[in-house]
């Protein structure tokens, strides 16, 4: 398989993963599929988990992945890249994708570790309040479902955040691997050519 064809098979999954990341990040702004929490948060009352506002899925896993995906796809037109310059540029764009994937990965990881912001209470803190009850749990709440009951509002917020942040984490991990592969693919395209014969513009 030439490097141009390889680029095409990298670009298409990146499109899908970018869309998944954007959708997950947008959904995280609406716990329990309600808009009221986003509205109250916009008015200055903390209602949305802080890591959601970092927009790792929108910026890192979305825009910063979509831009290189488009370029990589264009360089793989007809299964053959236009020239070595195109492949060289794809290395730079893929590097942007690596940075975006790392950002999305980091935000999702921190979001999972810190847990959601919710209206909570437990035996040690019987007075309900808004906050992040699992902030100092070192992620132990992830395997202790009894702790999930601490969060009263929004309903099922722990499962909601866990599912979406986990999806972002997996998507970002795959994006990272694909962009790293494209950097290697682009390097081979620069050094060895794309499909055995470099396409040159007509004189």
């Amino acid at each position: 398989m030439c490097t141009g064809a390889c680029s095409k098979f990298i670009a298409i999954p990146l499109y899908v993963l970018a869309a998944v990341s954007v959708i997950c990040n947008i959904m995280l702004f609406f716990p329990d599929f309600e808009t009221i929490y986003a509205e109250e948060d916009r008015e200055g009352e903390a209602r949305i988990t802080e890591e959601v506002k970092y927009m790792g899925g929108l910026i890192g896993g979305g825009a910063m992945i979509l831009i290189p995906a488009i370029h990589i796809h264009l360089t793989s037109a007809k299964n053959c890249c236009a020239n070595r310059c195109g492949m060289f540029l794809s290395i730079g764009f893929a590097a942007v994708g690596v940075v975006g994937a790392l950002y999305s990965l980091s935000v999702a990881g921190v979001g999972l570790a810190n847990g959601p912001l919710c209206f909570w209470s437990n035996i040690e803190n019987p007075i309900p309040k808004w906050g992040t009850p699992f902030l100092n749990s070192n992620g132990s709440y992830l395997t202790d479902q009894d702790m999930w009951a601490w969060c009263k509002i929004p309903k099922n917020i722990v499962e909601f955040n866990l599912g979406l942040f986990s999806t972002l984490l997996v998507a970002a991990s795959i994006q990272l691997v694909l962009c790293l592969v494209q950097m290697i693919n682009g390097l081979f395209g620069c050094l060895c050519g794309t499909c055995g014969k470099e396409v040159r513009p007509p004189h």
Side-chain angles (χ1 to χ4, degrees):
M1 181 185 293
C2 70
T3 55
C6 184
S7 293
K8 183 177 182 180
F9 285 105
I10 291 173
I12 293 174
L14 286 179
Y15 284 133
V16 176
L17 291 168
V20 169
S21 297
V22 169
I23 291 170
C24 285
N25 203 150
I26 292 174
M27 288 180 66
L28 282 165
F29 278 101
F30 304 101
D32 200 22
F33 302 102
E34 296 282 351
T35 61
I36 185 172
Y37 303 109
E39 293 171 358
E40 291 178 353
D41 192 90
R42 191 168 57 248
E43 293 171 357
E45 299 179 23
R47 296 291 184 268
I48 302 297
T49 302
E50 192 65 25
E51 289 75 25
V52 175
K53 302 174 188 176
Y54 297 161
M55 295 191 288
L58 279 168
I59 298 174
M64 292 182 72
I65 291 295
L66 188 59
I67 293 172
I70 292 172
H71 179 81
I72 292 168
H73 195 183
L74 291 176
T75 60
S76 65
K78 297 181 181 179
N79 285 345
C80 187
C81 302
N83 49 45
R84 283 184 169 89
C85 180
M87 291 304 286
F88 177 76
L89 288 175
S90 75
I91 297 175
F93 280 104
V96 173
V98 168
V99 173
L102 285 172
Y103 178 63
S104 182
L105 188 69
S106 300
V107 172
V110 173
L112 283 173
N114 291 343
L117 185 147
C118 61
F119 190 67
W120 70 283
S121 66
N122 59 18
I123 296 176
E124 297 177 358
N125 299 275
I127 301 176
K129 61 181 179 180
W130 284 95
T132 310
F134 313 122
L135 185 61
N136 299 315
S137 70
N138 295 319
S140 63
Y141 82 96
L142 293 170
T143 56
D144 187 352
Q145 295 189 19
D146 291 336
M147 296 175 67
W148 298 4
W150 295 1
C151 284
K152 314 300 181 184
I153 301 173
K155 185 179 179 181
N156 299 322
I157 184 61
V158 178
E159 296 93 321
F160 185 81
N161 271 32
L162 181 59
L164 292 174
F165 272 126
S166 295
T167 302
L168 281 172
L169 194 70
V170 172
S173 299
I174 299 174
Q175 289 171 337
L176 179 61
V177 171
L178 290 175
C179 287
L180 287 173
V181 169
Q182 176 55 27
M183 291 182 71
I184 297 172
N185 179 46
L187 181 61
F188 274 106
C190 288
L191 298 177
C192 307
T194 54
C195 296
K197 182 177 180 181
E198 188 171 337
V199 178
R200 298 180 183 276
H203 294 289

